[in-house]
C-alpha cells in the first residue's frame, strides 16, 4: 500500500511502501495558527511530537515531522480547513472560532462561571464526546478526528481602567473571541470580536478599552503594557481548541501507530491543562512584577454578574434544536457530567 502526504511547506512527500509488519516511514505536518507562546501549542512541540516519534520508533515506524506554528500555514481561523483539505495531517484547531461548523463544541462558552480546574473540564468534555456521537460526527463532516480536547485556563478582565464593580464596565469597548462575546450581554459594555494575536494592538490603538482573556497569555503577550488592570472574575476554564488529525490520514495508519497516537494524545490533553494552570499563576505574577494591578471581584459580585446575563445556554440549545442538532441534549448532558465531576456553576444554565 502506498501512502502519499501533501504539505504546503514540504511539497509532495512519498511515504514508504511496505508489507504488513515491515518498518514504515511517515511524513507528517502539524500546524497551528497560534505561536508556541500558547500553552496548547507548546505542548504539541514539547510532548506530543517527540513522544509519538519515540514510541512509534519502538514499533518500527519512523516519523518525520514538519512543525508549522504561528500562522505559517494557516491563521487561527483557517486551521480547521487546512487539516480538512490535507494541507496538514495534524492541527491545533481553535474551535471557538468555528461556531457555524462546530456549534456543539461551544458548550463551555455558553455555560460560563464554572470551575477554574481545567483538567476536570477536559475530562468532562471527553465523556461528553463519548455520550453524544453527533459531536464527533461534526468533526468527521469536516474531514478530521479529535485526538484531544484542549482547554484554556480561566478568563478574567484585562483593561485600561480599574473595575471595582460590574457597573464600571458600562460604556467601554471590550474585546474577546467566539461566544465569549455573550458574556457581555448582561452589562452596558460594547463587545468587540477579535483574536488573541490581535488584542495587544487593538488595545494600544484604542479599538478596545480592554479584553476578556485567560490568565496564562497576559504576560507572554505583554497585555499588561497596554492594559495594566487585571480584574479576576473567574469565568472558568474553557474548552477552546482541539488537537485533530485528518480523517483520511488517520484511516491510512496501522492500528499500532493509531494506538500510540491516542495514548500520547491523552497525555497531551492533561499536560496542556496543567501547563495552562501553571502558566496562569506565573503570568499573573510576572504582570504584577511589571506594574499590573490585580483585584478580584467577590463571590457575590460574580454570582450577580452571572445572574444578569440572559439565558445564553438555553437560547443556544433551543436554536440548535430548531436546526435538528442535539443542543438541549448536549447542554443537559454537559451539566450532568459536570455535577458528577464536582463542578458547580454560578447559575443553573439549564433553566429557562
Amino acid at each position: 500500500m502506498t501512502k502519499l502526504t501533501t504539505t504546503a511547506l514540504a511539497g509532495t512527500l512519498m511515504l514508504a511502501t511496505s508489507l504488513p509488519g515491515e518498518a514504515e516511514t511517515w511524513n507528517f505536518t502539524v500546524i497551528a495558527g497560534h505561536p508556541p507562546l500558547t500553552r496548547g501549542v507548546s505542548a504539541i512541540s514539547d510532548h506530543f511530537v517527540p513522544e509519538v516519534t519515540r514510541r512509534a520508533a519502538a514499533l518500527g515506524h519512523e516519523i518525520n515531522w514538519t512543525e508549522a506554528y504561528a500562522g505559517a500555514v494557516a491563521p487561527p481561523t483557517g486551521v480547521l480547513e487546512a487539516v480538512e483539505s490535507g494541507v496538514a495531517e495534524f492541527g491545533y484547531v481553535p474551535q471557538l472560532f468555528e461556531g457555524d461548523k462546530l456549534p456543539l463544541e461551544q458548550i463551555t462558552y455558553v455555560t460560563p462561571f464554572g470551575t477554574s480546574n481545567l483538567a476536570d473540564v477536559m475530562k468532562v468534555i471527553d465523556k461528553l464526546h463519548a455520550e453524544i456521537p453527533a459531536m464527533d460526527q461534526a468533526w468527521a463532516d469536516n474531514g478530521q478526528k479529535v485526538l484531544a480536547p484542549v482547554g484554556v485556563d480561566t478568563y478574567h478582565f484585562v483593561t485600561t481602567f480599574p473595575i471595582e464593580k460590574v457597573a464600571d464596565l458600562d460604556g467601554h469597548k471590550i474585546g474577546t473571541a467566539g461566544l465569549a462575546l455573550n458574556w457581555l450581554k448582561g452589562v452596558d459594555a460594547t463587545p468587540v470580536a477579535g483574536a488573541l494575536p490581535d488584542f495587544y494592538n487593538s488595545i494600544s490603538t484604542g479599538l478596545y478599552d480592554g479584553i476578556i482573556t485567560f490568565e496564562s497569555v497576559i504576560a507572554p503577550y505583554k497585555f499588561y503594557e497596554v492594559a495594566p488592570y487585571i480584574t479576576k472574575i473567574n469565568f472558568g476554564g474553557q474548552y477552546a481548541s482541539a488537537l485533530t488529525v485528518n480523517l483520511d490520514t488517520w484511516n491510512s495508519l496501522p492500528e499500532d501507530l493509531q494506538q500510540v497516537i491516542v495514548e500520547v494524545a491523552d497525555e497531551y490533553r492533561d499536560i496542556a491543562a496543567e501547563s495552562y494552570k501553571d502558566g496562569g499563576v506565573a503570568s499573573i505574577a510576572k504582570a504584577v512584577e511589571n506594574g499590573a494591578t490585580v483585584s478580584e471581584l467577590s463571590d457575590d459580585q460574580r454570582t450577580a454578574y452571572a445572574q444578569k446575563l440572559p439565558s445564553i445556554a438555553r437560547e443556544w440549545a433551543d436554536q440548535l434544536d430548531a436546526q435538528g442538532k442535539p443542543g438541549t441534549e448536549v447542554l443537559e448532558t454537559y451539566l450532568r457530567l459536570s455535577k458528577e465531576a464536582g463542578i458547580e456553576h454560578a447559575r443553573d444554565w439549564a433553566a429557562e
Side-chain angles (χ1 to χ4, degrees):
M1 178 172 59
T2 300
K3 303 177 180 67
L4 178 65
T5 299
T6 302
T7 73
L9 298 184
T12 302
L13 301 172
M14 294 300 298
L15 304 178
T17 301
S18 64
L19 296 175
E22 292 186 349
E24 299 178 76
T25 298
W26 305 86
N27 297 286
F28 295 144
T29 295
V30 56
I31 67 172
H34 291 87
L37 287 175
T38 302
R39 296 284 173 139
V41 177
S42 62
I44 293 174
S45 187
D46 294 343
H47 182 78
F48 181 77
V49 165
E51 196 60 21
V52 167
T53 302
R54 185 185 70 80
R55 295 186 200 182
L59 298 173
H61 302 295
E62 180 183 353
I63 300 179
N64 301 312
W65 293 91
T66 297
E67 299 179 57
Y69 308 132
V73 169
T77 54
V79 179
L80 180 75
E81 291 76 15
V83 176
E84 178 182 13
S85 68
V87 168
E89 288 73 38
F90 295 82
Y92 180 80
V93 180
Q95 46 80 12
L96 79 162
F97 297 122
E98 304 292 349
D100 290 341
K101 293 183 177 180
L102 300 166
L104 300 175
E105 301 298 292
Q106 312 303 314
I107 180 62
T108 66
Y109 281 91
V110 296
T111 55
F113 295 107
T115 181
S116 61
N117 189 321
L118 184 57
D120 286 352
V121 175
M122 292 302 94
K123 290 173 183 175
V124 168
I125 292 297
D126 263 347
K127 292 179 180 178
L128 184 64
H129 273 247
E131 290 200 24
I132 312 289
M135 299 187 75
D136 282 337
Q137 184 58 49
W139 286 97
D141 291 343
N142 286 277
Q144 53 211 282
K145 169 186 173 64
V146 173
L147 295 173
V150 186
V152 291
D153 45 299
T154 189
Y155 282 62
H156 299 306
F157 288 106
V158 183
T159 55
T160 60
F161 58 95
I163 302 173
E164 296 181 357
K165 55 187 182 303
V166 174
D168 292 335
L169 288 162
D170 292 354
H172 289 287
K173 297 170 292 185
I174 306 297
T176 192
L179 290 186
L181 291 163
N182 287 330
W183 303 349
L184 293 164
K185 285 186 174 181
V187 297
D188 189 20
T190 301
V192 187
L196 190 63
D198 306 320
F199 284 165
Y200 185 101
N201 286 338
S202 294
I203 298 171
S204 64
T205 59
L207 182 60
Y208 306 162
D209 299 316
I211 54 176
I212 299 175
T213 195
F214 43 105
E215 292 181 339
S216 62
V217 297
I218 295 172
Y221 284 86
K222 298 184 179 180
F223 293 145
Y224 56 80
E225 292 182 349
V226 290
Y229 296 97
I230 300 169
T231 305
K232 292 187 174 183
I233 189 172
N234 186 18
F235 284 104
Q238 301 293 320
Y239 169 39
S241 303
L243 174 61
T244 73
V245 59
N246 174 277
L247 204 52
D248 289 338
T249 297
W250 179 254
N251 291 333
S252 74
L253 302 179
E255 289 186 8
D256 60 347
L257 184 53
Q258 287 181 341
Q259 184 61 34
V260 162
I261 292 171
V262 168
E263 290 174 355
V264 177
D266 284 346
E267 297 168 2
Y268 160 80
R269 177 202 63 205
D270 295 338
I271 288 170
E274 190 65 24
S275 179
Y276 275 114
K277 175 185 174 182
D278 294 343
V281 173
S283 178
I284 294 293
K286 185 172 182 179
V288 170
E289 289 176 5
N290 284 274
T293 299
V294 178
S295 60
E296 186 168 0
L297 297 180
S298 68
D299 288 341
D300 287 345
Q301 288 174 305
R302 180 176 185 260
T303 299
Y305 190 111
Q307 296 296 337
K308 280 172 64 69
L309 293 176
S311 186
I312 58 176
R314 181 53 67 187
E315 292 173 359
W316 171 85
D318 289 346
Q319 183 180 37
L320 292 181
D321 290 345
Q323 298 170 13
K325 298 179 174 65
T328 294
E329 184 183 6
V330 169
L331 173 60
E332 294 180 351
T333 303
Y334 174 72
L335 293 175
R336 171 177 59 79
L337 292 171
S338 294
K339 186 175 182 180
E340 291 172 359
I343 297 172
E344 296 184 0
H345 289 82
R347 66 177 280 178
D348 180 7
W349 289 112
E352 295 291 343

